[in-house]
Amino acid sequence: MVLESDREKAVELKQTPLHTIHKEMGAKMVPFGGWDMPVQYTGIIQEHLATRSAAGLFDVSHMGEIFVTGNETDVLSFLESVTCNTITGMKVGQVQYNAVVNESGGLVDDITVYKFSDSKYMICSNASNYPAVTKHLETYKKGDVTVVDDSKNWHQIALQGPKADEIFSKYLGKDLSSILYYHFEEMNWKGETIIVSRTGYTGEDGFEIYTSNALGVTLWKELLEMGKNYGLVPVGLGARDTLRLEAKYPLYGHELNSEWTPVESGINFIVKEKPSPYLGYTRIIADKKNGPKRKVVGIRLMEPGVLRENFPIFSGDGKEIGKSTSGTHSPSRKESLGLAILDTEFAKNQMEVFVEIRGQKKLAKVETGAFIQGSVRNNR
């Protein structure tokens, strides 16, 4: 997770509005995607398990918010031309998981798309990628379309866990059951319009909350104070990574990159055929129809050891068939789990493969099903 370039340029790291508060809380800070971010407060395992059993609060204000506005026909046509999921048919108040694709069929970034109206959408992009996404959108926009990177004016925190709804409903004094999974509402709070979406990156129920920077700091403090009676804890990037891995959510730079198609990357469910081809369409749809030569799947280590990224993986007869893309010791399942890109013939459930860890080949099994059954599944 820590980038070498960030270590070398530590003086240039950006800081979120909560940076001082994180340090006051005793968080261990690390460079991530050009930002100085908390990796843990009390411990990764403790924070992970608290999120699974109660709730966790995450500073994700390093993420990007890009607004696309203009003539409704032009905006829709433009968005369809640079993404692989179908924007047409989205309802106002809906959030969609999607990906911005490049000319060769790889990913510029995986994103969430928020529809405010036929002429206004917001793209939430990853921390290290939103400048590249903005530039890419500017390059390909046509007609009456405006692209604005407004990230510096937005603060985002994520409240995740089976008690997230109860905590946030009590805090706001508002029943949030009307916000369905992958939907959002704009609401008035403390004199400003905030965005509350039932989305997240943990496999648990919860919300991502967009506010001004000042209100975001207030919200963080007040939620932690009120939520402590429910078991709410602050959570750093360490547990965010183990939580997303258990949920089998991909991470750019690991399972997603500019070279692999979304089908290879294991997010083929967002790849759709469209009347007008988008960037990289021929290659992406060929992978969708014919099957890719390799794809990302889950793997579970059957012997002692811990999976990490970039471990070579072999078949039983010694042929190298892929590599791990992410790995961790799962606090929930108490075993080593990960994601890997494998030749498709070996990417089958319960297929036995061997991961090379420190010169030793360890038995592992492909696991195509869910690693965990989080509370998010109750709200789909």
Side-chain angles (χ1 to χ4, degrees):
M1 290 176 62
V2 181
L3 307 180
E4 292 297 332
S5 59
D6 287 342
R7 287 196 185 99
E8 295 167 5
K9 301 178 182 178
V11 293
E12 300 175 14
L13 292 177
K14 292 179 278 189
Q15 300 177 357
T16 74
L18 289 168
H19 186 266
T20 300
I21 293 173
H22 294 318
K23 297 185 79 170
E24 290 173 350
M25 295 175 69
K28 179 182 177 182
M29 308 297 289
V30 299
F32 177 75
W35 295 76
D36 196 26
M37 297 295 293
V39 68
Q40 65 180 56
Y41 298 86
T42 56
I44 292 174
I45 293 176
Q46 180 180 344
E47 293 165 26
H48 177 112
L49 295 175
T51 305
R52 288 273 182 255
S53 62
L57 195 64
F58 303 74
D59 177 9
V60 288
S61 50
H62 59 324
M63 301 286 280
E65 293 81 20
I66 304 164
F67 287 84
V68 181
T69 59
N71 173 274
E72 58 187 60
T73 301
D74 289 348
V75 167
L76 181 59
S77 176
F78 165 62
L79 288 174
E80 292 284 30
S81 73
V82 292
T83 65
C84 61
N85 205 345
T86 303
I87 304 289
T88 303
M90 281 186 68
K91 306 296 184 184
V92 173
Q94 184 180 348
V95 185
Q96 181 193 72
Y97 183 56
N98 205 329
V100 176
V101 288
N102 61 30
E103 299 86 343
S104 65
L107 273 65
V108 181
D109 201 12
D110 64 324
I111 59 171
T112 46
V113 180
Y114 289 64
K115 181 172 181 177
F116 292 83
S117 70
D118 288 340
S119 59
K120 179 183 178 181
Y121 296 79
M122 182 182 79
I123 291 173
C124 180
S125 177
N126 286 301
S128 59
N129 284 2
Y130 65 79
V133 171
T134 303
K135 182 179 179 180
H136 188 76
L137 297 179
E138 286 282 4
T139 298
Y140 288 98
K141 73 175 184 178
K142 293 180 181 178
D144 177 16
V145 176
T146 300
V147 175
V148 176
D149 176 5
D150 203 32
S151 306
K152 67 179 184 299
N153 295 318
W154 286 93
H155 192 277
Q156 186 189 161
I157 58 177
L159 175 61
Q160 302 280 290
K163 294 184 181 179
D165 189 303
E166 183 181 4
I167 292 168
F168 202 37
S169 294
K170 183 175 179 62
Y171 174 78
L172 293 175
K174 177 183 174 68
D175 180 6
L176 298 175
S177 61
S178 61
I179 306 179
L180 304 177
Y181 184 56
Y182 260 69
H183 286 73
F184 73 95
E185 285 185 13
E186 291 182 282
M187 57 184 71
N188 248 320
W189 184 247
K190 300 201 174 190
E192 70 176 65
T193 300
I194 68 173
I195 302 167
V196 177
S197 66
R198 194 180 287 270
T199 51
Y201 197 54
T202 63
E204 299 297 334
D205 185 26
F207 304 95
E208 292 178 310
I209 309 150
Y210 301 80
T211 66
S212 68
N213 290 315
L215 185 53
V217 173
T218 300
L219 187 61
W220 175 272
K221 292 177 179 178
E222 292 182 351
L223 271 176
L224 281 178
E225 179 60 31
M226 195 216 74
K228 63 185 180 183
N229 295 328
Y230 296 83
L232 176 65
V233 302
V235 184
L237 291 179
R240 182 170 166 85
D241 195 50
T242 57
L243 289 159
R244 71 95 187 169
L245 262 175
E246 287 186 348
K248 285 191 173 176
Y249 293 158
L251 179 64
Y252 198 90
H254 293 255
E255 291 70 43
L256 312 171
N257 57 55
S258 62
E259 297 178 1
W260 300 347
T261 69
V263 181
E264 290 177 297
S265 295
I267 54 173
N268 58 299
F269 63 94
I270 68 170
V271 171
K272 306 293 170 56
E273 294 185 59
K274 299 184 185 182
S276 297
Y278 44 83
L279 296 174
Y281 187 81
T282 301
R283 180 187 170 204
I284 294 171
I285 294 301
D287 271 2
K288 177 83 169 182
K289 288 183 174 180
N290 305 325
K293 294 180 180 179
R294 57 187 181 175
K295 63 181 178 180
V296 171
V297 292
I299 57 171
R300 178 165 57 104
L301 203 60
M302 307 303 294
E303 299 183 53
V306 179
L307 285 167
R308 300 295 183 201
E309 66 174 311
N310 292 324
F311 287 173
I313 300 178
F314 300 85
S315 62
D317 60 5
K319 175 188 174 185
E320 188 166 350
I321 57 172
K323 65 176 181 177
S324 57
T325 54
S326 296
T328 190
H329 177 77
S330 163
S332 301
R333 289 183 42 161
K334 296 180 173 56
E335 57 185 339
S336 190
L337 305 173
L339 296 169
I341 187 160
L342 301 179
D343 293 348
T344 301
E345 62 182 292
F346 297 97
K348 299 173 183 176
N349 195 44
Q350 300 305 305
M351 175 72 75
E352 291 189 350
V353 296
F354 293 85
V355 184
E356 187 175 295
I357 303 176
R358 296 179 180 175
Q360 293 186 316
K361 290 180 180 176
K362 307 271 189 174
L363 177 64
K365 285 188 177 181
V366 173
E367 193 157 328
T368 57
F371 282 145
I372 56 105
Q373 298 288 334
S375 58
V376 71
R377 296 175 183 273
N378 301 327
N379 292 286
R380 290 186 172 181

